[in-house]
Amino acid sequence: MLNRLIILLFGLYAVSSVDAAQIPCWKLIWETGAVHGEDPELVYANGLKVTGARQYPLETVLFDLDIDSNVMASVAEADGLLVGEGFSPLLEHVVANGGVRIRAVDLWYEEVSFPDTIDGLAMKAYIDRNRGYLVKGNALELPFADNSQDYLWSHLLVNNLDDDSQRATEEMVRVLRPNGEGRVFGFRYDFGLQVFIRKLRNQGHEVRDLRKTIVLHNVEGTIEIPLVLLIIRKGVAQ
Ligand SMILES: C[S@@+](CC[C@H](N)C(=O)[O-])C[C@H]1O[C@@H](n2cnc3c(N)ncnc32)[C@H](O)[C@@H]1O
């Protein structure tokens, strides 16, 4: 039951045997029934899950990523990425704080067709407002050079990637500059994560793990889900 709720509330997900480049992900989501809150199907387009249905409030995103006013003040004059940004309010908040060298990355940013629903219209409006900051791309193969970013934030992407969550995180570390900082939220705290943290530390990166609890409300009540934020400072000898 918990797993079903997590899947629903994290905003699922289109999958199909068709080519994702040809069919807008939102069309796929619509057709699988995921947006109706029915049992979503785990389907893959080009081997990727495509998600995007839920918008989290800015305060929640800032809390989960442990971003206070000092951290936010560091975005001006810095190159940064938001990975799996969806249509979150974080991008516009960063820009409003002077972080104009920010880019947000997601799978669906160049889609031209969205369903006539509240979420579909919000996604389209988001693209229209922020076009200059958006990059269509895959977290597993970020279209950015090694050592090119001062900071990188990712909110509730890795929980969607299953076995690829560590690979995506290593990809994020690749694009960070030495001494750059990544904040990646959404890991389950388990043995695999502990081993992964040790691996990152052995590679010379500083890693802090902070446990957070996200609270979700639905008609059946409130559930609390413990998830982990990793704050990774890239080693200088990379
Ligand atoms: C649950 S949403 C979170 C969106 C946003 N970060 C927020 O907190 O509101 C997950 C987002 O990750 C995107 N996503 C999923 N897999 C991805 C991948 N491999 N590369 C880039 N983005 C991906 C989805 O399209 C979706 O917009």
Side-chain angles (χ1 to χ4, degrees):
M1 182 60 190
L2 183 63
N3 281 344
R4 277 169 66 101
L5 278 172
I6 291 171
I7 288 169
L8 278 172
L9 292 167
F10 279 164
L12 274 207
Y13 303 63
V15 190
S16 165
S17 57
V18 298
D19 183 348
Q22 293 171 18
I23 302 210
C25 59
W26 261 94
K27 190 164 185 304
L28 296 173
I29 292 170
W30 186 251
E31 288 173 352
T32 61
V35 291
H36 301 295
E38 296 158 11
D39 200 5
E41 300 161 40
L42 286 175
V43 200
Y44 289 77
N46 281 348
L48 298 172
K49 276 186 206 167
V50 182
T51 71
R54 178 158 293 263
Q55 188 175 36
Y56 295 89
L58 178 63
E59 296 67 32
T60 303
V61 180
L62 294 175
F63 174 81
D64 292 343
L65 291 172
D66 230 45
I67 294 171
D68 59 17
S69 53
N70 286 333
V71 175
M72 190 52 75
S74 69
V75 300
E77 311 290 322
D79 297 307
L81 289 185
L82 306 176
V83 181
E85 174 65 357
F87 59 135
S88 149
L90 184 60
L91 170 63
E92 286 162 325
H93 188 65
V94 170
V95 173
N97 278 274
V100 293
R101 283 159 43 193
I102 188 87
R103 291 291 177 276
V105 181
D106 208 296
L107 291 168
W108 50 264
Y109 280 157
E110 282 170 20
E111 302 299 349
V112 289
S113 168
F114 293 94
D116 191 15
T117 63
I118 292 173
D119 282 337
L121 295 174
M123 292 167 92
K124 181 174 184 319
Y126 190 86
I127 286 186
D128 290 343
R129 282 199 310 275
N130 296 303
R131 195 171 294 279
Y133 296 105
L134 306 183
V135 175
K136 181 178 180 179
N138 181 358
L140 301 176
E141 291 173 46
L142 288 171
F144 296 90
D146 296 358
N147 305 320
S148 59
Q149 305 298 317
D150 299 303
Y151 69 100
L152 184 154
W153 300 340
S154 181
H155 183 252
L156 290 177
L157 164 70
V158 289
N159 53 291
N160 292 303
L161 298 179
D162 300 334
D163 293 344
D164 283 333
S165 63
Q166 295 184 7
R167 192 177 137 208
T169 307
E170 287 173 336
E171 177 67 353
M172 296 181 206
V173 172
R174 175 187 69 76
V175 302
L176 279 173
R177 292 194 170 112
N179 218 25
E181 188 185 77
R183 291 170 181 258
V184 186
F185 176 69
F187 297 93
R188 302 286 172 85
Y189 194 80
D190 58 18
F191 181 68
L193 182 64
Q194 293 175 45
V195 172
F196 182 55
I197 291 171
R198 199 175 315 137
K199 177 181 174 188
L200 291 171
R201 286 179 178 150
N202 287 340
Q203 290 170 347
H205 312 301
E206 279 176 29
V207 184
R208 283 190 289 148
D209 56 305
L210 278 65
R211 297 188 213 180
K212 304 264 177 175
T213 300
I214 66 167
V215 182
L216 300 173
H217 307 278
N218 74 355
V219 285
E220 292 171 2
T222 298
I223 55 170
E224 296 188 351
I225 303 172
L227 291 174
V228 177
L229 167 67
L230 292 189
I231 303 182
I232 304 166
R233 184 161 296 283
K234 184 167 176 174
V236 289
Q238 302 303 311

